[in-house]
DNA sequence: CATTTTTGTTGGATCGATTCAAATTTCAGT
DNA sequence: ACTGAAATTTGAATCGATCCAACAAAAATG
């Protein structure tokens, strides 16, 4: 008899408990979700029955459907899932998001995908109340996909002209100017820029055309900031090589090779990310060049790793954790409005920059 | 008229589309989930209606309830959520889990909680098909809580006697012996152990009583391994100080203070985690002691940071990524059986260990 | 004792989809 | 034109809970 029931292996539902305890659905539900409104005697009886039947407690699946809210926010990127645990920038950002979620008891669902179809499916089927989008490469596609879900979402890095999407980013122009001025004031006159992409899947030296047609306005703004400030020091910015990388090892090294193959190698490098800056330091050291003796470098982002490497990296620090916190809160207490926030940045002078060599 | 409808702001459901397009629920559903079985003409009509009405696509909440499967695995810990992004061990483990999830298209939900009640609630209400448990502190409570969900789960670090829970861990005894032998063969005779906790919330020197009554068998096994091997070299293990820490900065430093305040300070430290070992290196350097000149250290875990610090850490490496992968797969293709896997470990000799000082 | 309040319980409606057996339509073959 | 098989479509049942208006019983009030 018992074996017959066990053979079923059907999980026990709230309705089963109600029937067995001789109460209604409603009362059984109350025993678990609002026990205080149920008479003690009944409550105990139902609980006992539940215990004895091996009831696992109200299944969140059912509750969820009824409630409409999942109480979790999705964090999505086009990179593989491990990106969240590998990339220093992402990690600090996630710490901020975690903090806000911890505070309100919300969960975090990581969404990503190796390929395009899976990305679409994962976005479509993620059980979340909203999304935070890491817009790195292929960001525009990610935004389009997410928009179709008609859930609140925030894009990190407001690299989109599209004013209809909520976004949090930093003042790229101001940050870039800070970096450029710092180097110019140290006497540098020959520059090179390690740039992020201006559009999807680009790499190599960027022409003015490319810059003008930039899809990623974040990249464009940083370059504009560099150039504006350098121009104020009377530097001819049209001569400055700008190399687009994929913000990873290989293309960054290729960029450095190309830049230092030129006739007049730079004495200062403006890198649009700490990642590239760190790779550059490594590359220069391996080439026997001294940082900052021969070449100075300024990064962008302010990831913790920058403080630990040798020499420690001078950089433009974003308030990464705070951005994460705000992004999470934007989703958590979403009020239907589009928000676009721009955060300030800060120049942190460490050991990777120094006075330009005389001569 | 339109304004009246819009005022409702009720999200459009599949049923609305079906009605508007003049087809049944079933057909409308098929248009989205199995488009190939619907006649092209009908399919296009329904899609057009959906598009025009601004339908966001089938809501995963409904689908989920019906399907029963969430297609996501929960990773839980008693630490705050940011633990997953801060702790190097956790990060490598997550990379492994991510890999397995990416491969099958499953999602990852991070579960954690600042306080006990929230932990319970978060575990109870997490929308997942199973759990991977990071059993650090308070692991037993986490296991109890999870068991109540009656979902498949795996404990990482099989630190539980309880043979009824699935777990993946390493051969702690063998690993510890490897570490101890390495130091003994280098001529060391005076040791100290930086230990993980033997039970919840413990810290300070551990007495044999404490060790015998260990709740965490993982810790007990490592210590047993150290002692067994050292005994083979004729070392009196009863004299070896064993200090339990919370595996973080403060208590580890306190442990080092206490250990080096003793009459005959050790020339070799056996640390049960790389984290503690790294902190120890730092502490020793600040104290003017040379590693490995004055004191040798062996860690346990094999986190990437260990390779980067100075001096690079000699350690017992666990196949962390592989453990993560397996744990995820155990949940993903769960067959109802209890699995307990023990993985091998490896001694990685780097620069933090050297011959014992003469005299 | 009749009447109002308070407290506890009930059962049906609902959340938003998927599924499947049965009904219907389409179509090839004669 | 007719038949049987194949291709589509239908509509009710289901997933597992919560909510709420209505009702019943008990307690408080006049």
């Amino acid at each position: 008899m018992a074996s017959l029931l066990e053979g079923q292996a059907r999980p026990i539902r709230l309705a089963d408990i109600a029937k067995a305890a001789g109460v209604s659905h409603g009362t059984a539900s109350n025993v678990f979700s609002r026990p205080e409104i149920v008479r003690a005697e009944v409550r105990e009886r139902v609980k006992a029955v539940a215990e004895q039947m091996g009831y696992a407690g109200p299944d969140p699946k059912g509750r969820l459907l009824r409630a409409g809210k999942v109480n979790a926010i999705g964090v999505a990127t086009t990179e593989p899932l491990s990106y969240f645990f590998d990339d220093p920038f992402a990690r600090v950002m996630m710490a901020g998001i975690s903090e806000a979620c911890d505070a309100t008891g919300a969960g975090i669902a990581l969404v990503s995908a190796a390929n395009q179809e899976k990305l679409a499916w994962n976005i479509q089927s993620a059980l979340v109340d909203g999304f935070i989008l890491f817009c790195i490469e292929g960001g525009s596609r990610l935004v389009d996909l997410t928009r179709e879900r008609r859930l609140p979402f925030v894009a990190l890095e407001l690299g989109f002209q599209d004013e209809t999407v909520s976004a949090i980013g930093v003042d790229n122009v101001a940050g870039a100017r800070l970096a450029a001025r710092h180097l110019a004031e140290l006497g540098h006159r020959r520059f090179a820029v390690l740039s992020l992409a201006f559009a999807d899947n680009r790499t190599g030296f960027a022409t003015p055309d490319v810059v003008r047609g930039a899809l990623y306005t974040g990249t464009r703004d940083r370059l504009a900031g560099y150039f504006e400030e350098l121009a104020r020091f009377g530097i001819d910015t049209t001569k400055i090589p700008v190399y687009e990388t994929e913000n990873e090892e290989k293309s960054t090294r290729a960029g450095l090779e190309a830049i230092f193959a030129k006739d007049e190698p730079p004495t200062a490098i403006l890198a649009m990310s700490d990642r590239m800056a760190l790779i550059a330091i490594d590359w220069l050291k391996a080439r026997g060049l001294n940082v900052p003796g021969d070449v100075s470098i300024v990064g962008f982002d302010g990831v913790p790793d920058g403080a630990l490497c040798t020499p420690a990296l001078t950089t433009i620090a974003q308030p990464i954790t705070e951005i994460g916190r705000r992004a999470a809160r934007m989703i958590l207490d979403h009020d239907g409005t589009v928000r676009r926030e721009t955060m300030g940045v800060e120049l942190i002078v460490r050991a990777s920059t120094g006075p330009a060599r005389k001569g």
Side-chain angles (χ1 to χ4, degrees), chain A:
Chain A
M1 181 166 116
S3 69
L4 196 122
L5 282 165
E6 278 169 35
Q8 291 293 93
R10 203 163 67 45
I12 291 98
R13 306 190 313 286
L14 185 53
D16 302 325
I17 304 299
K19 183 132 55 101
V23 296
S24 70
H25 287 175
T27 300
S29 172
N30 286 335
V31 167
F32 292 98
S33 46
R34 304 146 75 194
E36 69 281 1
I37 74 161
V38 178
R39 195 151 44 95
E41 185 198 333
V42 177
R43 195 197 316 142
E44 293 315 319
R45 177 158 46 92
V46 175
K47 273 188 178 164
V49 171
E51 173 72 21
Q52 190 231 313
M53 293 180 72
Y55 179 55
D59 186 327
K61 295 201 285 289
R63 190 209 324 275
L64 161 64
L65 175 58
R66 185 69 242 236
K69 276 244 154 198
V70 183
N71 199 33
I73 93 180
V75 187
T77 169
T78 51
E79 304 284 307
L81 274 176
S82 59
Y83 167 77
F84 293 115
F85 305 100
D86 290 340
D87 186 84
F89 184 81
R91 280 167 42 208
V92 178
M93 185 72 83
M94 290 307 298
I97 296 173
S98 300
E99 217 175 276
C101 288
D102 254 343
T104 64
I108 294 181
L110 268 19
V111 179
S112 142
N115 58 64
Q116 299 277 327
E117 303 142 52
K118 275 199 176 168
L119 211 220
W121 174 254
N122 286 352
I123 295 270
Q124 278 159 20
S125 64
L127 286 157
V128 297
D129 299 318
F131 285 98
I132 293 178
L133 269 27
F134 274 61
C135 297
I136 314 127
E137 253 206 288
S140 47
R141 195 176 139 66
L142 187 53
V143 169
D144 290 343
L145 234 30
T146 307
R147 205 198 308 261
E148 282 179 16
R149 268 300 290 274
R150 297 176 201 242
L151 287 175
F153 70 93
V154 190
L156 259 25
E157 312 254 13
L158 54 187
F160 292 90
Q161 291 106 321
D162 192 340
E163 295 280 334
T164 66
V165 333
S166 291
I168 306 185
V170 295
D171 189 336
N172 286 305
V173 176
R177 296 182 74 142
L178 244 31
R181 180 182 319 160
H182 172 64
L183 289 171
E185 284 177 351
L186 283 168
H188 291 276
R189 288 300 175 269
R190 291 209 311 276
F191 294 85
V193 175
L194 282 175
S195 174
L196 295 170
F198 288 94
D200 289 340
N201 301 318
R202 288 196 44 82
T203 176
F205 283 112
T207 62
D209 271 358
V210 168
V211 177
R212 231 172 288 121
L215 178 62
Y216 297 138
T217 57
T219 307
R220 193 191 56 194
D221 290 350
R222 289 186 192 180
L223 190 66
Y226 290 150
F227 281 10
E228 279 175 25
E229 194 67 22
L230 294 180
R232 292 184 45 184
F233 283 81
I235 295 163
D236 178 4
T237 59
T238 62
K239 295 271 170 59
I240 298 176
V242 175
Y243 195 98
E244 288 177 86
T245 79
E246 288 170 25
N247 197 30
E248 41 64 80
E249 196 100 12
K250 202 174 149 215
S251 55
T252 304
R253 288 183 185 278
L256 288 159
E257 296 282 1
I259 287 167
F260 281 86
K262 298 216 166 201
D263 277 349
E264 291 210 317
T267 66
I269 296 178
L270 290 155
M272 288 198 196
S273 79
D274 282 355
R275 180 121 191 238
M276 288 189 283
L278 261 15
I279 295 169
I281 288 179
D282 203 54
W283 185 88
L284 289 165
K285 284 203 296 197
R287 239 206 173 198
L289 288 166
N290 182 271
V291 179
D294 298 312
V295 182
S296 287
I297 306 183
V298 182
F300 207 119
D301 285 347
V303 303
D305 306 28
L308 304 172
C309 69
T310 328
L313 184 67
T314 294
T315 192
I316 303 298
Q318 305 188 29
I320 311 181
T321 309
E322 179 62 19
I323 292 176
R325 267 193 294 258
R326 290 199 187 205
R329 274 208 283 267
M330 233 186 230
I331 301 300
L332 262 10
D333 23 78
H334 178 254
D335 58 357
T337 64
V338 171
R339 286 243 172 80
R340 289 176 77 81
E341 294 188 17
T342 302
M343 315 281 294
V345 293
E346 197 184 348
L347 169 68
I348 298 189
V349 179
R350 289 196 281 242
S352 70
T353 48
R357 261 227 173 108
K358 294 262 166 73

